[in-house]
Amino acid sequence: MHRLLRTTAWAVGLTLLLIVLGGIVRVTGAGLACPDWPLCHGRLVPPLEDLVLVEYGHRLLASVVGLLTVFLVVQARRARPGPAVGRAAAAALLLLVVQVLLGGLTVHVRLVPAVVAAHLGTAMLFLAALLVLGASAYRALRPLDQGAPPGLGTLAAVTTGLAFGQILLGGYLSTSGAALACPDFPLCRGSLLPPGGGPVLVHWVHRLGAALLALAAALLAARARGAARPLRRLAALVMLLVIVQIALGALNVLTRVAPPVTVLHLLTAALLFGTLALLTTAAFGTTVEPVARPGRLTSPGEPAPAGVAAWRRVATDYVALTKPRIVLLLLATTVAAMVVAAGGWLSPALLVYTLLGGTLAAGAANAINCYWDRDIDAVMARTRRRPVPAGRVAPRRALAFGAVLAVLAVAVLGGLVNWLSAALALAGLLFYVLVYTMWLKRTTPQNIVIGGAAGAVPPLVGWAAVTGRVEVPALLLFLIVFLWTPPHFWALALQRRQEYAAAGVPMLPVVAGEAATRRQIFAYTVALVASTLLLVPFGGAGGLYLAAAVLLGAGFLRLALAVLREGSARAAGGLFGYSIVYLVLLLAALMVDRLV
């Protein structure tokens, strides 16, 4: 374990150095000193002179960090210190892969601000993953005895999210020419609320975010007063770093973004985000001290008393009604359609408005589904802990919550995007609720097939948001998601056949048997893989997407064939898990293909 901690410390130190060197690359204008990738001027070792030396040094250090991370992951697997360390190591490895791809993309798209910001944000997440890995390993050796005060973990997580948003916005500012859009401080163009939009608005929002971050840090420090000493120290360090960061931000403006100040500003941001990641991990990893009435102790399995983080429990339950994991997958299809429709980079405002409306629409459909299916959910082990069947949210409140979200979704999409996207989102919502949930789900084994049309609507919404029309590529994306749905859900149904039977839901394995279901899974998989190839001749997709579609489709077909031949729960579970990864990677390949 001590070796693991030492390796992690080296990885953290080199990652901080890499982030600083990335800042030096940016302030010196060396970002395109190597105009190609992964080579530099077509060579593995280019002439090391002028700005090439800076950019090439950055790439070499990134390679060292990458190799050290792979070694760290192997070391973590051998040490077997616990699931938390394993998850952090896996997250670090995944983020490393994403960061390498973003590094190459940054060069290929010639330093597009959004890509540069994503590259910076992924670097910060990678640093956080390494710190969480180290903290988890350290806690396995020396656990904290004293618990964190109620709500400290949630407040730390919110503050971490604010800091991450500031980092992304700061990365965008520095490369979009908006760093001096407000040339004075603390006012902006002599006003508290400056006129105009564009770079001035972006810069002003960044300053507003800094004020909110300072407020959150102050609340965090106050909340940590009753915590263990390590938590108190981390909270105090957060407050100190926020003050330093705001001072450096002001100095950035006053010195006209002098390179040393800019690099220090970046380093402080990395230290602040890393400290917040450590604090959040430590706060959630300690035992919360129960608040007990005099003469009465609260047992571990007993619900916490009223007033102890009650708002957090309520918020968590209402978020759970929206089924956020499903929403994220639907939003991925929306973003892919928008990127393809735009033929490149999107307006950030249009992207935010569309995703907000899509989130509200999908959340509304899922919340109403939770209300209607509460009797079924109470029977099935997979769903009985949902807020409504568990009794944490009253049915009528879940229904009202869903209705409010639906109204907001239509208002956001119609008012801020266009009315075609709003109409499509509403149609998908109504189809999911009225056709699938209230009718098909309890009456026919084809419920998933027909009902899958509702889940395939988000690409149409995304396309309409950008173009104001529904065209052939959007319909092909609709078809892909539509054909993906049956093998995805039937693989789950094979594993949960007894639960669906007990709940009286006529899923295909219950009605037609497992053998027929396995044949249908394979048939739909063949149709799905074939449909993905249609985007090349009819959707404008290129060679990169074609290669990804073929490779990913081959994997899907192999697993579907295993389900057909073996008929085991393990094979079905493997197909179900892969189907999610398949769709995400397919959409990612489509977007990268269009952007590059």
Side-chain angles (χ1 to χ4, degrees):
M1 187 72 73
H2 291 286
R3 291 181 179 178
L4 178 63
L5 286 172
R6 282 197 295 270
T7 307
T8 305
W10 272 102
V12 168
L14 289 177
T15 300
L16 281 171
L17 181 59
L18 182 62
I19 290 172
V20 169
L21 188 53
I24 294 174
V25 167
R26 180 168 53 78
V27 299
T28 57
L32 293 177
C34 291
D36 47 345
W37 187 92
L39 300 178
C40 181
H41 291 282
R43 299 172 60 179
L44 188 61
V45 181
L48 300 180
E49 55 189 17
D50 299 329
L51 296 180
V52 174
L53 179 60
V54 179
E55 168 62 11
Y56 191 72
H58 180 65
R59 292 190 184 186
L60 286 180
L61 182 57
S63 301
V64 172
V65 171
L67 292 174
L68 185 60
T69 303
V70 173
F71 176 70
L72 182 62
V73 171
V74 173
Q75 205 173 40
R77 288 181 63 86
R78 289 178 177 176
R80 298 184 181 278
V85 174
R87 287 193 294 268
L93 185 60
L94 176 62
L95 288 166
L96 172 66
V97 174
V98 174
Q99 184 71 339
V100 170
L101 294 175
L102 283 173
L105 185 61
T106 300
V107 174
H108 281 293
V109 299
R110 321 304 286 179
L111 305 180
V112 169
V115 179
V116 174
H119 191 48
L120 175 61
T122 307
M124 295 296 180
L125 292 175
F126 175 72
L127 173 65
L130 292 176
L131 288 168
V132 170
L133 191 157
S136 301
Y138 182 81
R139 196 166 61 237
L141 291 174
R142 297 182 60 184
L144 290 175
D145 295 328
Q146 183 179 356
L152 180 64
T154 301
L155 184 56
V158 170
T159 309
T160 305
L162 280 173
F164 186 66
Q166 282 292 95
I167 288 169
L168 291 178
L169 198 54
Y172 183 85
L173 270 175
S174 63
T175 51
S176 64
L180 291 176
C182 292
D184 47 345
F185 186 89
L187 299 178
C188 179
R189 296 179 180 267
S191 174
L192 187 62
L193 295 173
V200 174
L201 179 61
V202 174
H203 190 115
W204 183 81
V205 169
H206 187 57
R207 291 191 184 184
L208 178 63
L212 293 175
L213 183 59
L215 176 61
L219 293 174
L220 196 59
R223 194 63 175 170
R225 287 180 181 175
R229 180 178 295 178
L231 298 180
R232 295 201 306 271
R233 289 180 173 177
L234 285 172
L237 181 58
V238 166
M239 189 71 251
L240 175 62
L241 288 171
V242 168
I243 294 172
V244 172
Q245 185 70 337
I246 291 176
L248 286 171
L251 198 59
N252 235 345
V253 174
L254 298 176
T255 62
R256 303 328 233 196
V257 290
V261 179
T262 300
V263 174
L264 280 175
H265 196 48
L266 176 63
L267 175 60
T268 308
L271 293 173
L272 173 61
F273 187 70
T275 305
L276 281 167
L278 283 176
L279 178 58
T280 303
T281 303
F284 279 119
T286 54
T287 304
V288 177
E289 294 182 338
V291 178
R293 296 175 182 175
R296 178 179 178 271
L297 295 176
T298 305
S299 62
E302 185 178 351
V308 179
W311 63 270
R312 185 178 68 186
R313 294 197 306 273
V314 172
T316 300
D317 285 335
Y318 276 92
V319 169
L321 287 175
T322 67
K323 303 179 185 178
R325 293 181 181 178
I326 296 176
V327 172
L328 287 175
L329 198 58
L330 296 176
L331 293 181
T333 66
T334 306
V335 174
M338 294 180 74
V339 170
V340 175
W345 298 103
L346 296 163
S347 160
L350 178 63
L351 180 64
V352 169
Y353 295 149
T354 306
L355 293 184
L356 175 59
T359 300
L360 292 169
N366 290 328
I368 297 172
N369 173 269
C370 286
Y371 161 79
W372 189 263
D373 281 348
R374 61 191 184 277
D375 55 333
I376 297 175
D377 289 345
V379 176
M380 300 180 64
R382 184 174 64 91
T383 56
R384 65 178 53 155
R385 294 183 181 178
R386 287 176 177 172
V388 177
R392 299 193 304 275
V393 175
R396 69 179 188 279
R397 292 186 178 181
L399 179 61
F401 178 63
V404 170
L405 291 184
V407 172
L408 290 175
V410 174
V412 168
L413 290 172
L416 301 177
V417 183
N418 58 52
W419 286 105
L420 177 58
S421 63
L424 288 169
L426 180 60
L429 188 159
L430 294 176
F431 189 90
Y432 182 79
V433 171
L434 300 177
V435 178
Y436 170 70
T437 300
M438 296 184 179
W439 176 31
L440 296 174
K441 185 172 183 178
R442 304 184 189 223
T443 58
T444 173
Q446 295 300 312
N447 46 20
I448 287 300
V449 177
I450 304 171
V457 167
L460 302 181
V461 175
W463 194 277
V466 174
T467 67
R469 302 182 300 276
V470 175
E471 298 171 305
V472 172
L475 295 175
L476 290 176
L477 287 170
F478 175 93
L479 178 64
I480 289 170
V481 179
F482 179 79
L483 293 174
W484 169 87
T485 303
H488 168 71
F489 275 101
W490 282 337
L492 176 64
L494 284 173
Q495 298 175 279
R496 304 282 183 174
R497 178 176 178 273
Q498 298 301 328
E499 292 184 29
Y500 281 115
V505 179
M507 293 296 288
L508 191 62
V510 177
V511 176
E514 295 187 5
T517 303
R518 294 196 299 269
R519 289 193 297 270
Q520 289 287 315
I521 285 176
F522 186 76
Y524 271 95
T525 300
V526 172
L528 166 65
V529 174
S531 72
T532 62
L533 304 181
L534 295 176
L535 278 172
V536 177
F538 300 109
L544 191 153
Y545 167 78
L546 177 61
V550 170
L551 292 174
L552 292 169
F556 209 133
L557 285 169
R558 183 179 64 83
L559 291 175
L561 188 60
V563 171
L564 180 63
R565 290 176 174 175
E566 298 176 17
S568 64
R570 179 179 180 182
L575 179 63
F576 176 76
Y578 178 79
S579 65
I580 300 174
V581 177
Y582 167 85
L583 186 60
V584 172
L585 292 181
L586 184 75
L587 295 172
L590 180 61
M591 288 188 287
V592 172
D593 180 271
R594 180 52 60 96
L595 293 173
V596 174

